[in-house]
Amino acid sequence: GQSLEQPSEVTAVEGAIVQINCTYQTSGFYGLSWYQQHDGGAPTFLSYNALDGLEETGRFSSFLSRSDSYGYLLLQELQMKDSASYFCAVTGNTDKLIFGTGTRLQVFP
Amino acid sequence: KAGVTQTPRYLIKTRGQQVTLSCSPISGHRSVSWYQQTPGQGLQFLFEYFSETQRNKGNFPGRFSGRQFSNSRSEMNVSTLELGDSALYLCASSTRTGESEQYFGPGTRLTVT
Protein backbone atom coordinates (compact mmCIF):
# COMPACT_ATOMS: atom_id res chain seq x y z
CA GLY A 1 0.00 0.00 0.00
CA GLN A 2 0.89 3.64 0.07
CA SER A 3 1.09 5.93 3.10
CA LEU A 4 2.52 9.32 3.91
CA GLU A 5 3.31 11.06 7.17
CA GLN A 6 3.65 14.77 7.70
CA PRO A 7 3.25 16.99 10.78
CA SER A 8 -0.27 18.20 11.40
CA GLU A 9 0.68 21.77 12.21
CA VAL A 10 3.63 24.13 11.98
CA THR A 11 3.85 27.73 13.16
CA ALA A 12 6.36 30.43 12.25
CA VAL A 13 6.72 34.20 12.08
CA GLU A 14 6.90 36.43 9.05
CA GLY A 15 10.30 36.48 7.42
CA ALA A 16 11.33 33.16 8.92
CA ILE A 17 12.14 29.85 7.22
CA VAL A 18 10.04 26.76 7.78
CA GLN A 19 10.51 23.16 6.70
CA ILE A 20 7.63 20.71 6.31
CA ASN A 21 8.73 17.09 6.29
CA CYS A 22 7.11 14.16 4.58
CA THR A 23 7.96 10.48 4.84
CA TYR A 24 6.33 7.98 2.57
CA GLN A 25 5.84 4.32 1.88
CA THR A 26 4.84 3.26 -1.58
CA SER A 27 5.47 0.55 -4.10
CA GLY A 28 7.15 1.55 -7.32
CA PHE A 29 7.84 5.14 -6.35
CA TYR A 30 7.78 7.64 -9.19
CA GLY A 31 7.88 11.01 -7.48
CA LEU A 32 6.85 13.34 -4.65
CA SER A 33 4.64 16.37 -5.18
CA TRP A 34 3.61 19.27 -2.97
CA TYR A 35 0.34 21.15 -3.02
CA GLN A 36 -0.87 24.26 -1.23
CA GLN A 37 -4.45 24.80 -0.15
CA HIS A 38 -5.78 27.99 1.41
CA ASP A 39 -8.88 27.77 3.58
CA GLY A 40 -11.90 27.50 1.33
CA GLY A 41 -9.73 27.17 -1.75
CA ALA A 42 -8.65 24.47 -4.15
CA PRO A 43 -5.30 22.70 -3.84
CA THR A 44 -2.70 24.16 -6.17
CA PHE A 45 0.41 22.41 -7.39
CA LEU A 46 3.73 23.69 -6.04
CA SER A 47 6.47 21.27 -7.03
CA TYR A 48 7.46 17.78 -8.09
CA ASN A 49 10.62 15.80 -7.36
CA ALA A 50 11.41 12.57 -9.14
CA LEU A 51 15.15 12.56 -8.48
CA ASP A 52 17.19 13.11 -5.33
CA GLY A 53 18.09 16.67 -4.54
CA LEU A 54 16.72 20.13 -4.14
CA GLU A 55 14.40 21.91 -6.58
CA GLU A 56 14.04 25.65 -6.09
CA THR A 57 11.14 27.77 -7.27
CA GLY A 58 11.34 31.27 -5.91
CA ARG A 59 10.83 31.30 -2.15
CA PHE A 60 9.82 27.63 -2.15
CA SER A 61 12.16 24.66 -2.46
CA SER A 62 11.45 20.95 -2.36
CA PHE A 63 13.86 18.18 -1.50
CA LEU A 64 13.77 14.45 -2.07
CA SER A 65 15.84 11.54 -0.79
CA ARG A 66 14.64 8.35 -2.45
CA SER A 67 16.88 6.15 -0.33
CA ASP A 68 15.32 7.56 2.86
CA SER A 69 11.76 7.74 1.46
CA TYR A 70 11.76 11.31 2.67
CA GLY A 71 11.17 14.74 1.33
CA TYR A 72 10.54 18.25 2.56
CA LEU A 73 9.15 21.56 1.46
CA LEU A 74 11.16 24.60 2.47
CA LEU A 75 9.48 27.99 2.59
CA GLN A 76 11.72 31.02 2.94
CA GLU A 77 10.98 34.64 3.72
CA LEU A 78 7.59 33.65 5.05
CA GLN A 79 4.67 35.94 4.34
CA MET A 80 1.24 36.04 5.92
CA LYS A 81 -0.25 34.79 2.66
CA ASP A 82 1.73 31.55 3.07
CA SER A 83 -0.64 30.54 5.87
CA ALA A 84 -2.32 27.51 4.34
CA SER A 85 -2.32 23.72 4.39
CA TYR A 86 0.46 21.94 2.56
CA PHE A 87 0.09 18.40 1.26
CA CYS A 88 2.72 16.02 0.06
CA ALA A 89 1.61 13.41 -2.46
CA VAL A 90 3.25 10.43 -4.09
CA THR A 91 2.82 8.70 -7.38
CA GLY A 92 3.82 5.08 -7.73
CA ASN A 93 3.20 2.13 -9.98
CA THR A 94 -0.51 2.24 -9.19
CA ASP A 95 -0.70 5.47 -11.19
CA LYS A 96 -2.70 7.10 -8.40
CA LEU A 97 -1.76 10.39 -6.76
CA ILE A 98 -1.93 9.63 -3.02
CA PHE A 99 -1.99 12.55 -0.61
CA GLY A 100 -0.81 12.93 2.95
CA THR A 101 -3.15 14.34 5.59
CA GLY A 102 -1.67 17.81 5.27
CA THR A 103 0.31 20.25 7.39
CA ARG A 104 -1.39 23.42 8.50
CA LEU A 105 1.08 26.32 8.45
CA GLN A 106 0.25 29.39 10.50
CA VAL A 107 2.39 32.45 9.93
CA PHE A 108 2.29 35.10 12.65
CA PRO A 109 3.30 38.75 12.28
CA LYS B 1 -7.74 29.03 -20.56
CA ALA B 2 -10.65 28.38 -18.21
CA GLY B 3 -9.97 26.37 -15.09
CA VAL B 4 -11.69 23.30 -13.73
CA THR B 5 -15.31 23.95 -12.85
CA GLN B 6 -17.53 22.00 -10.53
CA THR B 7 -21.26 22.18 -9.99
CA PRO B 8 -23.00 22.61 -7.71
CA ARG B 9 -20.72 24.36 -5.23
CA TYR B 10 -22.89 23.52 -2.24
CA LEU B 11 -25.41 20.79 -1.65
CA ILE B 12 -27.51 19.65 1.28
CA LYS B 13 -29.06 16.21 1.17
CA THR B 14 -30.68 13.87 3.65
CA ARG B 15 -29.62 10.35 4.50
CA GLY B 16 -30.69 7.76 1.99
CA GLN B 17 -30.86 10.16 -0.93
CA GLN B 18 -28.50 10.11 -3.86
CA VAL B 19 -26.47 12.90 -5.37
CA THR B 20 -24.70 13.64 -8.65
CA LEU B 21 -21.78 16.03 -8.87
CA SER B 22 -20.36 17.42 -12.09
CA CYS B 23 -16.87 18.40 -13.16
CA SER B 24 -15.68 20.10 -16.34
CA PRO B 25 -11.92 19.78 -16.86
CA ILE B 26 -9.54 22.23 -18.43
CA SER B 27 -9.88 22.20 -22.19
CA GLY B 28 -7.62 19.53 -23.65
CA HIS B 29 -7.30 17.58 -20.42
CA ARG B 30 -8.57 14.05 -20.80
CA SER B 31 -7.96 12.77 -17.28
CA VAL B 32 -10.32 13.58 -14.43
CA SER B 33 -9.74 12.42 -10.86
CA TRP B 34 -12.10 12.72 -7.93
CA TYR B 35 -11.12 13.14 -4.28
CA GLN B 36 -12.99 13.32 -1.00
CA GLN B 37 -11.64 15.76 1.56
CA THR B 38 -12.65 15.68 5.21
CA PRO B 39 -10.99 17.43 8.17
CA GLY B 40 -7.95 15.52 9.31
CA GLN B 41 -8.14 12.98 6.48
CA GLY B 42 -6.48 14.85 3.70
CA LEU B 43 -7.55 14.10 0.18
CA GLN B 44 -8.76 10.56 -0.32
CA PHE B 45 -8.61 9.28 -3.89
CA LEU B 46 -11.96 8.12 -5.24
CA PHE B 47 -11.36 7.30 -8.90
CA GLU B 48 -9.80 8.50 -12.13
CA TYR B 49 -11.24 8.54 -15.61
CA PHE B 50 -9.39 8.88 -18.89
CA SER B 51 -11.01 8.75 -22.30
CA GLU B 52 -14.33 7.68 -20.80
CA THR B 53 -12.77 4.70 -18.98
CA GLN B 54 -12.18 4.30 -15.28
CA ARG B 55 -8.44 3.80 -14.96
CA ASN B 56 -8.07 3.72 -11.20
CA LYS B 57 -10.24 3.33 -8.16
CA GLY B 58 -9.72 4.09 -4.50
CA ASN B 59 -10.99 2.24 -1.46
CA PHE B 60 -14.55 3.48 -1.35
CA PRO B 61 -17.76 1.44 -1.27
CA GLY B 62 -19.73 0.75 -4.41
CA ARG B 63 -22.16 3.53 -3.49
CA PHE B 64 -19.60 5.84 -5.04
CA SER B 65 -19.51 5.71 -8.81
CA GLY B 66 -18.58 7.91 -11.69
CA ARG B 67 -18.44 8.28 -15.40
CA GLN B 68 -16.81 10.40 -18.05
CA PHE B 69 -18.29 11.68 -21.24
CA SER B 70 -16.75 12.04 -24.68
CA ASN B 71 -16.07 15.74 -24.04
CA SER B 72 -14.08 14.71 -20.91
CA ARG B 73 -16.65 16.12 -18.52
CA SER B 74 -17.16 13.82 -15.58
CA GLU B 75 -19.83 13.10 -13.04
CA MET B 76 -19.70 11.26 -9.77
CA ASN B 77 -22.69 9.76 -8.05
CA VAL B 78 -23.19 8.77 -4.45
CA SER B 79 -26.20 6.64 -3.68
CA THR B 80 -27.86 5.94 -0.33
CA LEU B 81 -26.14 8.86 1.34
CA GLU B 82 -24.77 8.46 4.86
CA LEU B 83 -23.87 11.16 7.38
CA GLY B 84 -20.20 10.25 6.91
CA ASP B 85 -20.38 11.24 3.26
CA SER B 86 -20.43 14.89 4.28
CA ALA B 87 -17.26 16.27 2.78
CA LEU B 88 -15.70 18.48 0.16
CA TYR B 89 -15.56 16.63 -3.15
CA LEU B 90 -12.80 17.83 -5.41
CA CYS B 91 -12.14 16.97 -8.98
CA ALA B 92 -8.84 17.51 -10.73
CA SER B 93 -7.86 17.35 -14.36
CA SER B 94 -4.60 16.59 -16.08
CA THR B 95 -3.33 15.66 -19.50
CA ARG B 96 -2.65 12.01 -18.71
CA THR B 97 -3.31 9.37 -16.09
CA GLY B 98 -1.20 9.28 -12.95
CA GLU B 99 -0.02 12.83 -13.53
CA SER B 100 1.65 14.47 -10.56
CA GLU B 101 0.60 17.96 -11.57
CA GLN B 102 -3.15 18.11 -11.37
CA TYR B 103 -5.42 21.13 -11.62
CA PHE B 104 -8.17 21.19 -9.04
CA GLY B 105 -11.62 22.66 -9.19
CA PRO B 106 -13.13 24.61 -6.28
CA GLY B 107 -15.01 21.56 -5.03
CA THR B 108 -18.57 20.72 -4.08
CA ARG B 109 -19.37 20.97 -0.40
CA LEU B 110 -21.83 18.17 0.38
CA THR B 111 -23.67 18.13 3.69
CA VAL B 112 -25.75 15.10 4.58
CA THR B 113 -28.32 15.57 7.35
Side-chain angles (χ1 to χ4, degrees):
Chain A
Q2 294 165 303
S3 66
L4 299 97
E5 283 192 26
Q6 51 182 130
S8 59
E9 190 167 357
V10 173
T11 59
V13 296
E14 268 189 306
I17 300 173
V18 72
Q19 179 174 311
I20 300 174
N21 299 320
C22 175
T23 57
Y24 61 86
Q25 283 186 314
T26 185
S27 52
F29 175 82
Y30 289 169
L32 183 71
S33 305
W34 288 92
Y35 282 77
Q36 178 193 61
Q37 185 180 30
H38 287 98
D39 284 348
T44 56
F45 174 82
L46 291 176
S47 67
Y48 173 70
N49 294 64
L51 303 175
D52 286 356
L54 191 68
E55 297 275 348
E56 299 181 57
T57 309
R59 294 187 298 113
F60 293 5
S61 303
S62 57
F63 172 82
L64 175 66
S65 169
R66 295 172 68 107
S67 60
D68 295 324
S69 298
Y70 163 76
Y72 65 72
L73 180 69
L74 190 73
L75 298 86
Q76 302 182 75
E77 301 171 22
L78 279 173
Q79 302 175 9
M80 295 294 291
K81 68 177 182 179
D82 297 329
S83 292
S85 292
Y86 293 84
F87 295 88
C88 58
V90 293
T91 45
N93 58 10
T94 62
D95 259 358
K96 302 176 190 177
L97 185 61
I98 303 300
F99 285 82
T101 53
T103 298
R104 186 171 182 84
L105 170 63
Q106 294 191 66
V107 181
F108 294 99
Chain B
K1 192 183 268 190
V4 178
T5 58
Q6 292 186 246
T7 56
R9 293 292 312 278
Y10 303 91
L11 206 50
I12 300 175
K13 291 285 188 179
T14 55
R15 277 180 299 175
Q17 288 187 311
Q18 74 163 19
V19 67
T20 299
L21 312 181
S22 180
C23 172
S24 292
I26 290 172
S27 177
H29 285 191
R30 295 165 63 192
S31 172
V32 174
S33 298
W34 287 89
Y35 298 87
Q36 181 194 67
Q37 185 173 29
T38 53
Q41 292 296 313
L43 287 82
Q44 306 270 336
F45 175 79
L46 280 156
F47 27 65
E48 179 182 20
Y49 286 86
F50 183 85
S51 293
E52 303 177 66
T53 302
Q54 186 180 90
R55 299 302 178 105
N56 254 311
K57 191 176 190 311
N59 298 321
F60 278 81
R63 300 186 296 107
F64 292 80
S65 62
R67 59 178 176 168
Q68 186 180 35
F69 303 94
S70 59
N71 61 357
S72 294
R73 189 177 70 85
S74 178
E75 289 181 347
M76 68 163 281
N77 184 78
V78 188
S79 62
T80 320
L81 284 166
E82 301 177 358
L83 294 179
D85 297 333
S86 295
L88 180 67
Y89 290 88
L90 293 157
C91 83
S93 76
S94 58
T95 54
R96 58 180 179 85
T97 57
E99 180 65 71
S100 297
E101 183 173 359
Q102 298 187 1
Y103 296 81
F104 282 82
T108 295
R109 173 74 62 185
L110 172 65
T111 302
V112 182
T113 62

